[in-house]
């Protein structure tokens, strides 16, 4: 039901959609989250309502939440935005080199994502980056359809087999570059290139002094995991020169860290690397490429602030301008030919194109408020039939007095102390469970009264008595929404590193939310919850609750997690054996509407059991054997009950690992 005075623009502001969502996500006039798949180039008729997509999926009857909806057109737009930004920066600076993007498949190795990037980027000679042997084989296969000029960057630690694969890639006509992470790898490259009679193209990864202070800043700096020091790079140059292969050294790579917050760090890192590139060129190496690695960030919290660890203080265009300008200055200073600039942007490319949709199926009930407190006698009446220990008796008398004189701040502090002391007395066996419940209700009643008065504006200041403030009252009003989801599978960075992702109801956004909530998942783990949410605060301070709507009987409530297209799927674990979710690809149609172009079912119970080396067929036979013995013993009643039970057992192995949405699945209400 719509609340008078509420409109979708208020929801846009409340959830900061205009900050983190632009230009792809917004709230439409129906109060639903919607998508502009081509960003600013999307026309009104091309906008896609996410609830309409979900409804169409559900009507097909094969899939339901949780599921991931991918928008390949957003992926295409992100690639074009990056390419255009660098082309514009090259033109404005009069830069004499060029730009070639590379996608690091570790960000999202999904087959269709990688194939789409190769297809969309063919005209730009857009390439791929691999960091392991499985990734290398995958990228080799995908790049058979890429531009022959596209780069295949071979990063990561290497053994002989890895190097052999990278060299064979060159024999296949792929533009592979073996980037040395350790000095010892050079000997492997020289030996294998001689064995296969292939001239390698070699790069070196420099360990820069530049680093940033964000979560991913430890990647770089003197103690970074990867990269070669200046002396190690010079040693490699000497070895290559001694064997007559210095011209094979053509690329310099570095990586400051993911999600670089500010342009000042970008400038410092690129400038340092550009001078190393120039020095290598002056030493006689055949330098052609400067690979600036990843680091192009996105605005997770909508604050557009470099002070927030969940945001960035620049645009893609400003990022490209800073990179090109820094490289151009260094090359001009040392009179070195401008290189092809290579960027390994992963997070910046794929984060936006994927939306995780899930439902909230129940909510924890707020504590029972007990009797409404209007006067001190109400407190006395609740406790009069119980024999209170002396300390509790004194506190209850104080509470009654404070309620009578209208000192709600003092009453709340007193009620809190009464609750704590009652719990201690209960542990000593001095009070009954019934009394403890009554005292808990008293505290909740005082909290509710305090909150009501605060909303009326009657409390201008809040006492700090007993360490209690308004935040304690607010926290007591926060409830838990139970969601059909595994945090560990679908949002692992939220649990592991405290990453914020925008979470918004998919619908009812033309209604005022009336509930403060946190989210918990299906797993039997206390960490399976999300209790920090996007606030839009420029300093990155998160909110401790998410404004939501009350659940309604027989009406599903859907939420969307946005900007999760990088890393979340590949990093997800199988905690409690919750498997991958369904995935659906959605394309816009000419003239409006949309089409579902691909549906990929999530893992079944059998799938996850096999992943843990169980055999579902033999498991079913073991259960079936036990079933027959139980049937003979008469534990199943008649034949009908036995047939139904066996059917349920058999079908369960092929069912989705998450909660079903059949007719017996009801949604709990306050």
């Amino acid at each position: 039901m719509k609340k008078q005075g509420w409109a979708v623009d208020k929801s846009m502001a409340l959830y900061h959609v205009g900050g983190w969502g632009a230009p792809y996500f917004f709230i439409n006039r129906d109060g639903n989250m919607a998508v502009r798949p081509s960003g600013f180039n999307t026309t009104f008729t091309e906008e896609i309502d996410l609830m309409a997509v979900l409804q169409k999926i559900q009507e097909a009857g094969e899939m339901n939440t949780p599921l991931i909806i991918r928008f390949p057109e957003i992926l295409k737009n992100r690639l074009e935005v990056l390419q255009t930004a660098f082309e514009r920066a090259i033109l404005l600076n009069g830069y004499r080199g060029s730009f070639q993007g590379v996608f690091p498949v570790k960000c999202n190795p999904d087959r269709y994502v990688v194939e789409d990037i190769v297809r969309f980027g063919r005209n730009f000679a857009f390439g791929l980056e691999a960091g392991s042997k499985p990734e290398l084989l995958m990228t080799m296969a995908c790049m058979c359809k890429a531009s022959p000029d596209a780069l295949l960057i071979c990063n990561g630690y290497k053994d002989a087999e890895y190097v052999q694969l990278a060299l064979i890639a060159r024999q296949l006509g792929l533009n592979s570059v073996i980037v040395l992470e350790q000095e010892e790898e050079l000997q492997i490259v020289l030996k294998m290139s001689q064995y296969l009679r292939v001239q390698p193209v070699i790069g070196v990864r420099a360990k820069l002094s530049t680093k940033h202070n964000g979560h991913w800043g430890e990647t770089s700096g003197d103690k970074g995991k990867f990269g070669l020091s200046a002396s190690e790079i010079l040693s490699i140059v000497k070895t290559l020169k001694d064997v007559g292969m210095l011209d094979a050294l053509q690329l310099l790579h570095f990586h400051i860290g993911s999600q670089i917050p500010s342009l000042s760090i970008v400038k410092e890192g690129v400038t340092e690397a550009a001078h190393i590139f120039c020095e290598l060129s002056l030493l006689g190496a055949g330098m052609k490429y400067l690979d600036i690695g990843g680091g192009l960030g996105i605005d997770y919290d909508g604050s557009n602030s470099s002070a927030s660890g969940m945001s960035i203080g620049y645009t893609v265009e400003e990022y490209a301008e800073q990179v090109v300008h820094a490289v151009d200055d260094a090359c001009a200073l040392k009179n070195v030919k401008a290189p092809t600039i290579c960027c390994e942007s992963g997070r910046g490319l794929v984060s936006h194109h994927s939306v995780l949709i899930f439902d909230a199926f129940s909510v924890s009930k707020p504590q029972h408020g007990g009797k409404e407190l209007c006067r001190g006698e109400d407190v006395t009446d609740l406790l009069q039939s119980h024999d209170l220990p002396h300390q509790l008796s004194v506190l209850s008398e104080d509470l009654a007095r404070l309620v009578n004189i209208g000192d709600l701040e003092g009453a709340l502090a007193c009620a809190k102390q009464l609750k704590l002391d009652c719990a201690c007395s209960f542990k000593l066996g001095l009070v009954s469970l019934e009394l403890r419940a009554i005292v808990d209700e008293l505290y909740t009643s005082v909290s509710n009264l305090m909150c009501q008065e605060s909303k009326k504006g009657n409390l201008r200041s809040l006492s700090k008595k007993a360490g209690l403030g308004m935040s304690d009252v607010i926290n007591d009003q926060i409830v838990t929404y139970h969601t059909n989801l595994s945090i560990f599978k679908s949002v692992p960075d939220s649990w592991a590193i405290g990453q914020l992702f925008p979470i918004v109801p998919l619908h009812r956004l033309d209604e005022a939310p009336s509930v403060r909530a946190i989210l918990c998942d299906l797993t039997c783990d206390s960490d399976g919850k999300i209790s920090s949410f996007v606030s839009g605060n420029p300093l990155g301070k998160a909110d401790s609750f998410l404004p939501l709507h009350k659940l309604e009987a027989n009406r599903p409530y859907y939420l969307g997690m946005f900007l999760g297209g990088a890393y979340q799927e590949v990093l997800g674990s199988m905690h409690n054996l919750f498997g991958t979710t369904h995935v659906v690809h959605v394309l816009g149609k000419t003239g409006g509407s949309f089409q579902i172009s691909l549906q990929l079912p999530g893992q079944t119970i059998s799938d996850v059991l096999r992943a843990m080396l169980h055999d579902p067929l033999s498991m079913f036979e073991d259960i079936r054997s036990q079933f027959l013995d139980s049937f003979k013993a008469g534990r199943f009643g008649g034949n009908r009950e036995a047939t139904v039970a066996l059917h349920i057992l058999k079908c369960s192995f092929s069912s989705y690992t998450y909660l079903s949405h059949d007719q017996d699945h009801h949604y709990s209400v306050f």
Side-chain angles (χ1 to χ4, degrees), residues 3 9 55 120 168 199 213 328-329 353 467 518 537 623 628:
K3 184 175 180 180
D9 60 330
Q55 183 179 357
F120 296 147
I168 291 171
Q199 177 72 8
N213 296 323
D328 192 45
D329 279 355
H353 91 288
I518 63 172
N537 186 295
I623 295 173
L628 292 175

Side-chain angles (χ1 to χ4, degrees), residues 255-274:
H255 181 63
I256 301 174
S258 188
Q259 190 71 7
I260 299 173
S262 69
L263 286 180
S264 61
I265 298 171
V266 174
K267 179 182 179 180
E268 183 182 352
V270 174
T271 298
E272 181 182 358

Side-chain angles (χ1 to χ4, degrees), residues 149-343:
D149 297 322
L151 288 165
L152 172 52
I153 302 296
C154 303
N155 286 332
Y157 295 123
K158 302 166 188 69
D159 59 10
E161 185 178 23
Y162 186 122
V163 173
Q164 287 172 349
L165 290 172
L167 292 170
I168 291 171
R170 292 206 68 81
Q171 291 178 308
L172 296 174
L174 304 179
N175 192 11
S176 61
V177 181
I178 301 173
V179 180
L180 303 179
E181 307 277 1
Q182 297 178 305
E183 189 176 356
E184 296 82 2
E185 292 174 353
L186 177 59
Q187 294 304 320
I188 302 175
V189 173
L190 295 176
K191 183 178 179 179
M192 290 303 106
S193 62
Q194 185 178 19
Y195 173 68
L196 293 174
R197 297 182 181 179
V198 179
Q199 177 72 8
V201 173
I202 298 172
V204 289
R205 178 167 179 168
K207 183 176 291 186
L208 303 185
S209 62
T210 306
K211 62 181 298 184
H212 72 81
N213 296 323
H215 175 81
W216 294 277
E218 294 302 319
T219 303
S220 58
D222 294 333
K223 296 182 180 180
K225 178 180 178 181
F226 293 105
L228 300 161
S229 66
S231 61
E232 288 173 324
I233 292 174
L234 289 175
S235 177
I236 288 172
V237 169
K238 182 180 183 303
T239 300
L240 288 172
K241 186 175 182 179
D242 290 344
V243 298
M245 292 180 59
L246 189 52
D247 60 334
L249 180 56
Q250 298 182 13
L251 180 144
L252 178 73
H253 171 46
F254 72 94
H255 181 63
I256 301 174
S258 188
Q259 190 71 7
I260 299 173
S262 69
L263 286 180
S264 61
I265 298 171
V266 174
K267 179 182 179 180
E268 183 182 352
V270 174
T271 298
E272 181 182 358
H275 282 292
I276 297 175
F277 176 92
C278 291
E279 291 293 321
L280 291 175
S281 182
L282 294 172
L283 288 171
M287 302 302 291
K288 295 181 180 179
Y289 306 101
L290 177 58
D291 182 351
I292 66 174
L296 174 60
I298 63 169
D299 191 352
Y300 285 104
D301 64 15
S303 66
N304 189 30
S305 169
S306 60
S308 168
M310 302 297 168
S311 184
I312 52 173
Y314 55 86
T315 64
V316 177
E317 291 75 17
E318 291 169 339
Y319 174 84
E321 164 67 20
Q322 192 65 259
V323 169
V324 172
H325 186 71
V327 178
D328 192 45
D329 279 355
C331 291
L333 180 65
K334 296 190 174 178
N335 196 27
V336 169
K337 182 180 178 182
T340 295
I341 297 172
C342 174
C343 171

Side-chain angles (χ1 to χ4, degrees), residues 528-658:
K529 65 180 180 180
I530 300 177
S531 54
S532 295
F533 303 93
V534 166
S535 69
N537 186 295
L539 297 179
K541 183 179 180 181
D543 280 340
S544 60
F545 59 85
L546 182 67
L548 295 176
H549 307 87
K550 286 188 177 182
L551 299 189
E552 298 178 352
N554 301 317
R555 185 184 181 188
Y557 190 61
Y558 296 108
L559 300 163
M561 187 203 81
F562 297 81
L563 308 187
Y567 295 108
Q568 301 317 295
E569 295 166 60
V570 70
L571 289 178
S573 74
M574 292 179 62
H575 191 23
N576 273 151
L577 296 187
F578 287 107
T580 57
T581 65
H582 302 311
V583 177
V584 176
H585 287 222
V586 174
L587 296 173
K589 292 173 68 175
T590 304
S593 190
F594 61 89
Q595 62 177 329
I596 295 173
S597 60
L598 185 66
Q599 296 188 70
L600 303 169
Q603 288 178 310
T604 66
I605 291 176
S606 287
D607 292 333
V608 297
L609 290 172
R610 289 191 190 95
M612 295 292 104
L613 305 183
H614 296 281
D615 180 9
L617 290 176
S618 63
M619 293 171 68
F620 177 72
E621 287 305 316
D622 290 343
I623 295 173
R624 184 174 178 275
S625 177
Q626 186 80 4
F627 168 84
L628 292 175
D629 291 341
S630 298
F631 177 71
K632 292 175 182 177
R635 299 190 187 117
F636 282 96
N639 289 336
R640 177 190 172 280
E641 290 80 0
T643 301
V644 170
L646 188 62
H647 177 73
I648 291 171
L649 285 169
K650 187 175 182 180
C651 291
S652 291
F653 281 91
S654 60
S655 66
Y656 202 22
T657 59
Y658 298 91

